[in-house]
Amino acid sequence: LGKAALRSPEVVSVHQDAANRMPEKLRQVYMSMPLHQKVDTLFSFLRSHSQKKIIVFVSACKQVRFLYEAFRILKPGPSVMELHGRQSLTKRLIIFQEFTEREKSIALFCTDIAARGVDFPAVDWVVQFDCP
């Protein structure tokens, strides 16, 4: 993303020379598209990865609600869940528990604020829907 958005970016890393600075299987990919194609592309991505465990980060609670309600009705393949800061702590904990117990075929739409400091184990894909 830095290469696409910045001119002459400078890399700053705490563990730049460490032997295990990044997991071997981690792969980072980005896509650039017109705004009007973002939701369609996300739908296609979820449909083509329907047996995976996916987290989709968006920038606002309203976006979480919109994507959750739209995809809950459209049914792209995986079950969908929502996690955002306007939910009660109890509801967020229940959703977190349900998401972590699922092994596959689940997509969680959330804000980075709602998921801050939370460790989601065994996730296949993490999608940053908007630029941070």
Side-chain angles (χ1 to χ4, degrees), residues 57-75:
F57 287 106
V58 297
S59 59
C61 295
K62 287 183 178 183
Q63 284 180 292
V64 172
R65 291 290 304 150
F66 172 78
L67 291 171
Y68 170 73
E69 291 297 335
F71 287 6
R72 183 178 61 85
I73 294 167
L74 295 172
K75 299 181 184 348

Side-chain angles (χ1 to χ4, degrees), residues 26-69:
L26 180 64
R27 198 175 71 158
Q28 296 185 34
V29 179
Y30 75 92
M31 294 176 67
S32 219
M33 70 200 62
L35 182 62
H36 68 275
Q37 293 179 351
K38 285 177 69 171
V39 175
D40 293 341
T41 304
L42 180 60
F43 184 85
S44 297
F45 177 83
L46 293 177
R47 178 157 281 192
S48 65
H49 296 88
S50 63
Q51 295 303 308
K52 301 293 184 181
K53 193 171 185 179
I54 303 166
I55 300 177
V56 180
F57 287 106
V58 297
S59 59
C61 295
K62 287 183 178 183
Q63 284 180 292
V64 172
R65 291 290 304 150
F66 172 78
L67 291 171
Y68 170 73
E69 291 297 335

Side-chain angles (χ1 to χ4, degrees), residues 117-130:
V118 179
D119 182 28
F120 295 99
V123 174
D124 297 306
W125 287 92
V126 177
V127 177
Q128 182 71 43
F129 191 66
D130 299 311

Side-chain angles (χ1 to χ4, degrees), residues 99-114:
F99 183 77
T100 54
E101 288 174 356
R102 296 283 296 266
E103 292 182 17
K104 63 179 183 174
S105 192
I106 186 80
L108 176 67
F109 297 106
C110 60
T111 58
D112 61 342
I113 302 293

